Amino acid sequence: MCASDAGMIRRIGLLGGTFDPVHFGHLRSALEVRDWLGLDELRLIPSARPPHRDRPGASAEQRLEMVRLAVAGAQGLTVDDRELLRARPSYTVDTLESLRQEMGPAVGLYLILGWDAFCGLPSWYRWETLLELASLVVLQRPDYDLEAPEVLKDLMAARSVAGPAGSQAPAGEILLLTQTPLAISASLIRSLLAQGRSPRYLLPDAVLDYIEINGLYRPGHNEDSNPHAE
Ligand code: ATP
């Protein structure tokens, strides 16, 4: 049952990422958060020009296409391409502002972050504004053992709510979700491919087929073989 079925506010989950490429760690997280919060929709939002990392191995269009292939037919999972349509760098705060403007103040927006991403939040552009625009769902991730900076510990003490039932506001809350641990990362998949090894069963077959057809992440894959690289 979705939040809107129970006469509650509409709830939308947002999972941003480089998705270079999208894998079952992302997709399983998306599904578990969708069910845990009873979301009406969960949007995966590929980042066009990630401000925090090196240039991705696949172009923005290719990463978007892989996410589209990955969620095809999955109920409630959708793809939002607004970061690709924007000329400036993909700051999450801009994305949330544009979503909030579009959806109005009453819709519950839930920005999903892995624990590693959450711990790095204070370096994000206008990070303190994020909580004015959305709540945060922070996912435990098994391959990271980071300690949150003090400023985030204080924030968690002030803003945490106990699970989906305790979440009432359209923004401003922090929810912690311990999920099925899947120690999959896009870096692992890229590294397997670069070594000529198969990443099958770490990501959807449709995505792997796309990678193979387009020769992505293989040794020798570079701007010349990828005219769409950013
Ligand atoms: P890379 O290995 O290239 O850094 P990644 O696998 O971490 O990539 P991103 O696109 O950077 O993928 O991740 C997008 C979001 O998904 C981040 O919030 C990240 O913490 C989360 N995430 C990625 N992999 C997992 C996983 N296996 N389990 C839970 N969350 C994950």
Side-chain angles (χ1 to χ4, degrees):
M1 185 176 69
C2 293
S4 52
D5 295 339
M8 292 148 66
I9 58 170
R10 222 159 92 78
R11 290 176 164 181
I12 309 229
L14 309 166
L15 177 61
T18 314
F19 303 121
D20 189 29
V22 62
H23 54 68
F24 284 138
H26 302 127
L27 296 166
R28 186 66 213 168
S29 294
L31 201 79
E32 291 192 10
V33 175
R34 181 199 69 185
D35 292 349
W36 188 64
L37 277 167
L39 296 175
D40 295 277
E41 184 184 345
L42 192 147
R43 294 191 186 195
L44 288 95
I45 312 180
S47 167
R49 301 151 193 247
H52 298 287
R53 49 186 292 158
D54 296 340
R55 198 176 68 172
S59 72
E61 290 73 18
Q62 288 168 330
R63 291 181 289 109
L64 174 68
E65 185 56 25
M66 289 190 277
V67 178
R68 285 206 172 112
L69 290 168
V71 301
Q75 202 196 342
L77 301 192
T78 60
V79 188
D80 188 311
D81 63 1
R82 74 187 58 221
E83 294 197 357
L84 269 64
L85 304 176
R86 202 185 295 141
R88 50 184 286 202
S90 306
Y91 291 115
T92 301
V93 70
D94 298 332
T95 302
L96 290 183
E97 274 172 346
S98 117
L99 284 159
R100 185 51 84 193
Q101 207 167 20
E102 200 174 292
M103 295 182 183
V107 170
L109 292 181
Y110 295 87
L111 178 67
I112 301 159
L113 297 174
W115 178 254
D116 58 314
F118 175 69
C119 288
L121 207 62
S123 70
W124 291 24
Y125 176 58
R126 290 174 59 208
W127 75 275
E128 279 153 316
T129 309
L130 297 175
L131 271 163
E132 292 169 19
L133 297 162
S135 293
L136 304 182
V137 177
V138 183
L139 307 176
Q140 166 242 353
R141 191 169 170 186
D143 51 347
Y144 283 87
D145 193 18
L146 300 174
E147 192 176 333
E150 289 304 319
V151 62
L152 292 182
K153 284 185 188 162
D154 293 345
L155 197 65
M156 281 196 288
R159 304 293 193 110
S160 288
V161 297
S167 177
Q168 307 288 340
E173 300 171 340
I174 299 180
L175 295 96
L176 287 173
L177 171 60
T178 303
Q179 53 166 187
T180 307
L182 285 178
I184 303 173
S185 66
S187 331
L188 168 67
I189 292 169
R190 291 195 303 275
S191 146
L192 287 170
L193 287 160
Q195 296 166 51
R197 294 166 62 197
S198 172
R200 190 171 295 282
Y201 309 133
L202 298 175
L203 72 177
D205 286 346
V207 176
L208 182 53
D209 290 348
Y210 182 90
I211 289 172
E212 285 175 350
I213 288 165
N214 290 281
L216 301 180
Y217 311 118
R218 293 283 178 196
H221 171 73
N222 56 26
E223 271 179 84
D224 295 338
S225 61
N226 174 17
H228 304 294
E230 290 168 334

